[in-house]
């Protein structure tokens, strides 16, 4: 995600359009590092969220409210004293920094007109909200930074505010060709890194986007570019800066399916193969993106314990499989002992007592071989010894083949559960996965007296031709879809020989068009272990030809007559029904 200077520039434009000259009617501090300002702007009442959270610093306009503590924190009380009912007279971004300054005029206790500045710094873990007087002296800040914490800048009441220039970066809006060539192309690093380490407000994502637009591999070193490529990249840089200067923004969220991948204030052409949604305002983008991102973050946090169970079981079974495979390989020499026994019976009649070996012609290979003998045993006893060894290894081999198949099936089952966790998008999805782990004996069932209600449902897509396509999120749903929901002439899709979802296309008795087959294949590829591959081989056949062996693991099926297609794991353009 790129909360960079370009996003800040878009925010400044939006704030100027909505709250410039607006009056601050309410100041709240719902979190230790967050402010919520309510004001009357040009479009009525709006709320402005200002967060200096180290993990999630934010600024955006919203219509939502948040509960505040019963007793307002000191910083909130200070702001209420100074700028309650104050008017915002200027909103600006200095030098494309990740900073927004709000200049506010208000009346003091004596009725005199005063000016203050509220400065919001969006700088990762160094984010802060700083309140200054008209001379630039810090009155207070939401976070106090002492010299013991930072040797670069103290943020304490009474100190003079300044922006630390620790990285020697330049304002991209005021650069020229000479500066660009000297500062970017003389850095001994990749093109992408050279751009974002030279200019304020340019994130790695935007640097990568510039290279993409210019048709340049951004991972190449700067000195590998031709003069023509250097000039072409500079032109794209300038065109982007002109758009920013003129306020030509295009707030955008990039998603892979439902999962948010990136956001920006300008079009991200490098993600053309993913789902791109445009928004009217950057505030909508930020509120939507972080709300969606929070869902996925929470899902991953809640799945940690389940993943640990699956990972531990997978490691144990893989070690078991390797050991069983080694033991099976050791049994491959059993036929040699059978031959030894037969040859001793054939040629051992003239052996002297106490002989330690027998040299004989192996009539299977027509070669001479030497057979070790136990001198304490008769030829018949030596022969029987080798037959006993052969029979023991044969029995071991037969048992190991069954055990190896069981272990292999267990590994496949666990890998399918791991894949199901990767595609889970709701807490209800994890509930069903947990239920499967309980049924399989990996998690001990707790007798709480009530059973968790499972609300998770398969994904429901509609093809471009209007056919319903359903995708199981886990093995229990896969079984339900394939054997209880689908009917005989519906089509069934699955990634070949790898964990993945069962995909059902409801035909309604129709003959499906080719485009629907292709889209169902793409869904089967995306919701499989091969979703990071360029292409995934997909098996598909009518549901009536899919069988489930008695006693098999959830999600396991067999089929013999199928068609195949190669599909890219790309689901853009396929409509998801909410």
């Amino acid at each position: 995600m790129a909360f960079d200077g370009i996003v800040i520039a878009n925010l400044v434009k939006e704030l100027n359009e909505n709250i410039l000259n607006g009056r601050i009617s309410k100041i709240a501090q719902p979190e230790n590092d967050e402010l919520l300002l309510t004001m009357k702007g040009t479009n009525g009442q709006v709320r402005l969220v200002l967060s200096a959270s180290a993990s999630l610093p934010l600024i955006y306009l919203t219509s939502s409210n948040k509960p505040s503590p019963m007793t307002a924190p000191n910083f909130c009380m200070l702001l209420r004293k100074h700028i309650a009912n104050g008017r915002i007279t200027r909103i600006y971004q200095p030098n494309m920094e990740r900073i927004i300054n709000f200049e506010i005029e208000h009346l003091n206790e004596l009725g005199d007109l005063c000016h203050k500045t509220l400065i919001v710094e969006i700088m990762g873990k160094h984010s802060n909200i700083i309140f200054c007087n008209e001379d630039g002296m810090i009155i207070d800040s939401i976070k106090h930074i002492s010299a013991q914490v930072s040797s670069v800048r103290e943020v304490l009441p009474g100190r003079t505010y300044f922006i630390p220039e620790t990285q020697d970066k330049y304002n991209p809006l005021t650069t020229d060709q000479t500066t660009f060539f000297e500062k970017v192309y003389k850095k001994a690093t990749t093109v992408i890194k050279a751009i974002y380490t030279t200019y304020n407000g340019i994130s790695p994502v935007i640097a990568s986007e510039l290279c993409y637009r210019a048709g340049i591999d951004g991972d190449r070193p700067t000195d590998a570019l031709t003069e023509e490529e250097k000039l072409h990249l500079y032109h794209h840089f300038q065109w982007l800066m002109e758009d920013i200067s003129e306020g030509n923004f295009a707030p955008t969220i990039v998603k892979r399916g439902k999962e948010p991948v990136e956001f920006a204030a300008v079009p991200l052409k490098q993600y053309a193969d993913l789902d791109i949604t445009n928004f009217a305002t950057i505030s909508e983008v930020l509120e939507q993106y972080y709300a969606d991102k929070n869902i996925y973050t929470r899902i991953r946090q809640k799945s940690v314990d389940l993943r640990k169970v699956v990972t531990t079981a997978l490691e144990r079974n893989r070690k078991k499989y390797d050991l069983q495979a080694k033991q099976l390989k050791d049994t491959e020499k059993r036929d040699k002992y059978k031959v030894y026994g037969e040859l001793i019976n054939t040629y051992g009649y003239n052996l002297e007592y106490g002989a330690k070996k027998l040299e004989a012609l192996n009539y299977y290979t027509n070669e001479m071989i030497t057979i070790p003998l136990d001198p304490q045993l008769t030829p018949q006893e030596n022969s029987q010894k080798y037959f006993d060894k052969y029979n023991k290894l044969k029995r071991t081999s037969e048992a190991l083949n069954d055990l190896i198949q069981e272990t292999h099936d267990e590994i496949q089952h666990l890998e399918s559960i791991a894949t199901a966790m990767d595609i889970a998008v709701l807490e209800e999805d994890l509930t069903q996965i947990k239920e499967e782990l309980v049924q399989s004996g990996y998690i001990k069932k707790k007798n709480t007296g009530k059973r968790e209600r499972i609300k998770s449902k398969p994904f429901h897509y509609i093809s471009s031709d209007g056919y319903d396509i359903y995708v199981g999120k886990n093995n229990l749903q896969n079984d339900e879809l394939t054997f209880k929901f689908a009917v005989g002439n519906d089509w069934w899709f699955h990634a070949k020989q790898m964990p993945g979802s069962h995909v059902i296309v409801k035909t309604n008795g129709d003959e499906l068009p080719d485009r629907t087959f292709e889209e169902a294949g793409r869904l089967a590829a995306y919701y499989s272990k091969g979703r990071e591959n360029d292409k995934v081989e997909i098996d598909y056949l009518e549901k009536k030809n899919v069988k489930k062996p008695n006693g098999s693991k959830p999600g396991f099926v067999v089929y013999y007559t199928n068609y195949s297609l190669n599909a890219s794991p790309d689901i853009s353009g396929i409509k998801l029904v909410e």
Side-chain angles (χ1 to χ4, degrees), residues 379-397:
Q380 291 78 10
E381 290 172 334
N382 271 294
S383 173
Q384 189 59 46
K385 177 183 174 182
Y386 280 120
F387 281 129
D388 290 343
K389 191 175 285 190
Y390 162 76
N391 287 320
K392 181 180 179 181
L393 290 175
K394 182 182 177 183
R395 290 191 300 272
T396 302
S397 174

Side-chain angles (χ1 to χ4, degrees), residues 409-470:
D409 292 346
E410 201 68 31
I411 290 171
Q412 281 194 317
H413 180 218
L414 289 164
E415 286 180 340
S416 70
I417 295 175
T419 301
M421 282 192 280
D422 290 338
I423 65 175
V425 294
L426 300 170
E427 292 183 37
E428 289 87 348
D429 301 339
L430 296 179
T431 301
Q432 200 161 23
I433 291 170
K434 183 179 179 182
E435 176 67 21
E436 183 179 349
L437 289 169
V438 169
Q439 290 180 11
S440 301
Y442 293 109
I443 296 177
K444 188 176 289 186
K445 188 173 183 179
K446 294 181 180 178
N447 293 318
T448 57
K450 63 177 182 178
R451 186 177 176 182
E452 283 190 88
R453 187 181 174 189
I454 296 173
K455 302 176 184 177
S456 177
K457 295 181 180 179
F459 293 114
H460 179 194
Y461 289 86
I462 297 179
S463 75
S464 300
D465 299 296
Y467 288 92
D468 293 306
I469 305 176
Y470 296 88

Side-chain angles (χ1 to χ4, degrees), residues 206-383:
I206 296 300
S208 175
E209 176 67 20
L210 286 166
C211 292
Y212 179 84
R213 293 183 184 186
I216 292 170
D217 180 0
D219 292 324
R220 289 166 63 192
T222 54
D223 57 9
L225 298 185
T226 65
E227 289 303 311
E228 183 181 2
E229 288 175 324
K230 290 178 180 179
L231 186 61
H232 193 45
L233 178 59
Y234 170 71
H235 285 155
H236 279 279
F237 181 87
Q238 274 301 100
W239 293 333
L240 181 61
M241 293 307 113
E242 286 172 8
D243 282 340
I244 293 167
S245 297
E246 295 168 5
N248 296 327
F249 297 103
T252 297
I253 293 179
V254 179
K255 289 186 177 182
R256 183 182 289 110
K258 281 184 139 184
E259 182 175 7
V261 175
E262 195 56 80
F263 73 87
V266 296
L268 294 177
K269 298 179 181 179
Q270 62 185 310
Y271 293 111
D273 58 332
L274 299 181
D275 296 322
I276 298 175
T277 307
N278 297 316
F279 290 80
T281 68
I282 192 67
S283 286
E284 290 177 275
V285 164
L286 294 170
E287 191 167 17
Q288 182 71 53
Y289 179 87
Y290 285 107
D292 291 347
K293 198 75 177 174
N294 184 49
I295 290 172
Y296 278 84
T297 302
R298 193 169 67 248
I299 289 296
R300 288 191 174 90
Q301 289 172 343
K302 285 186 172 292
S303 69
V304 167
D305 290 341
L306 297 182
R307 285 183 186 278
K308 187 175 180 182
V309 170
V310 173
T311 301
T312 302
L314 264 173
E315 289 175 354
R316 185 169 61 246
N317 277 280
R318 283 171 179 154
K319 287 179 181 177
K320 186 197 297 185
Y321 185 87
D322 290 341
L323 179 61
Q324 290 170 343
K326 182 178 180 297
Q327 292 172 335
L328 182 63
K329 188 171 181 62
D330 291 340
T331 67
E332 291 176 358
K333 57 188 176 184
R334 64 184 181 277
D335 288 335
K336 176 179 72 172
Y337 299 128
K338 181 181 179 184
V339 172
Y340 283 0
E342 290 177 354
L343 293 178
I344 293 173
N345 282 341
T346 303
Y347 301 111
Y349 57 87
N350 59 354
L351 277 172
E352 295 182 3
Y353 181 79
K356 295 182 179 180
K357 62 181 179 179
L358 168 65
E359 292 186 357
L361 177 69
N362 184 351
Y363 40 71
Y364 291 107
T365 62
N366 211 28
E367 294 176 349
M368 294 296 294
I369 62 171
T370 301
I371 302 172
L373 300 174
D374 185 340
Q376 303 296 320
L377 303 177
T378 65
Q380 291 78 10
E381 290 172 334
N382 271 294
S383 173

Side-chain angles (χ1 to χ4, degrees), residues 448-498:
T448 57
K450 63 177 182 178
R451 186 177 176 182
E452 283 190 88
R453 187 181 174 189
I454 296 173
K455 302 176 184 177
S456 177
K457 295 181 180 179
F459 293 114
H460 179 194
Y461 289 86
I462 297 179
S463 75
S464 300
D465 299 296
Y467 288 92
D468 293 306
I469 305 176
Y470 296 88
V471 181
K473 293 179 180 176
N474 52 63
N475 290 321
L476 297 181
Q477 284 188 15
N478 288 337
D479 280 352
E480 184 83 16
L481 266 181
T482 302
F483 299 107
K484 293 186 179 179
F485 178 73
V487 297
N489 292 326
D490 292 337
W491 284 87
W492 183 90
F493 293 73
H494 194 280
K496 188 179 186 70
Q497 295 180 345
M498 69 172 65

